[in-house]
Amino acid sequence: INKPAEFLSVPGKEIKDSVYTRIKHKYPSVTGPIIVHRLDMSTSGILVLTKTKEANKILQNQFIKRTVKKRYVAILSGVLSKKQGVISLPIRLDLDDRPRQLVDFENGKKAETNWVVINQNNNQTRVHFYPITGRTHQLRVHAAHKKGLNMPIVGDDLYGIKKDRLYLHADFIEFTQPTSKNKISFTIPSDF
């Protein structure tokens, strides 16, 4: 599906409306967890769902083994001097300021992101992010952190400055279809 920005992938503590609850309501016969992976509430774009428990297990295994190819598009606040690179900064939950994540070289989980500049104008840089790992807020932290790109994503209310939306969109995914075993991919361009 194409998840809109500011919409939960799964129900929260206080907000029950989510991709999961709407799909479960629309397709009551689906089995298993339905949601294969998540997008932050503020992130828009491609979210993969499954109809069966078996398909979910197969696809989750592909995410665990990192055989799924993902690409995000983002707009950063500023102009990068390099055209591409790799960010390797371990991340963990900030226990004193949830839901924020922080870089922690001792206790953080490995987090790695490849990035490529698409274009630059108006003191902003449009990039493609290719996450190797899938940590919570990984792209947001890697963009904003001083040892990352040192440039928050436009509209990031946690690691930058809030605007009308977070300018981060999951625009491409490729994986092996659980039944046919064929590689399939989906592209949904961002609306920014």
Side-chain angles (χ1 to χ4, degrees), residues 5-169:
E6 302 308 322
F7 191 63
L8 290 172
S9 297
V10 296
K13 289 179 182 175
E14 297 170 19
I15 302 170
K16 299 301 174 204
D17 192 18
S18 66
V19 171
Y20 176 86
T21 52
R22 288 191 187 185
I23 293 298
K24 193 70 176 161
H25 178 75
K26 187 169 182 171
Y27 302 99
S29 64
V30 297
T31 61
I34 301 170
I35 304 287
V36 179
H37 64 113
R38 297 179 189 186
L39 294 176
D40 292 344
M41 185 171 110
S42 299
T43 304
S44 61
I46 299 171
L47 188 64
V48 178
L49 312 176
T50 55
K51 294 180 181 177
T52 68
K53 185 178 181 179
E54 297 76 21
N56 194 279
K57 186 175 181 178
I58 291 167
L59 278 171
Q60 280 198 333
N61 195 40
Q62 291 179 47
F63 275 89
I64 291 166
K65 291 183 175 179
R66 299 183 182 141
T67 59
V68 175
K69 294 181 181 173
K70 299 174 284 181
R71 182 182 71 207
Y72 293 72
V73 63
I75 299 177
L76 305 179
S77 299
V79 177
L80 290 170
S81 57
K82 295 181 181 176
K83 297 300 178 197
Q84 62 184 26
V86 179
I87 303 162
S88 292
L89 295 172
I91 298 172
R92 71 163 173 85
L93 175 64
D94 183 345
L95 297 171
D96 298 322
D97 193 11
R98 295 169 189 257
R100 290 175 56 95
Q101 307 292 310
L102 52 79
V103 171
D104 183 337
F105 290 97
E106 288 183 30
N107 301 304
K109 292 182 180 177
K110 178 182 176 181
E112 191 170 3
T113 305
N114 294 327
W115 60 273
V116 177
V117 170
I118 303 167
N119 60 43
Q120 298 174 320
N121 57 40
N122 297 327
N123 202 35
Q124 294 180 330
T125 302
R126 181 181 292 267
V127 297
H128 275 146
F129 284 126
Y130 300 90
I132 307 305
T133 53
R135 306 288 176 221
T136 300
H137 297 179
Q138 176 176 318
L139 303 178
R140 296 167 73 173
V141 171
H142 280 179
H145 195 273
K146 63 186 176 203
K147 291 186 177 179
L149 296 179
N150 198 25
M151 209 167 282
I153 297 171
V154 172
D156 192 333
D157 61 340
L158 290 176
Y159 309 98
I161 299 170
K162 184 174 176 63
K163 292 214 186 266
D164 58 318
R165 66 158 292 168
L166 174 68
Y167 284 79
L168 177 63
H169 177 82

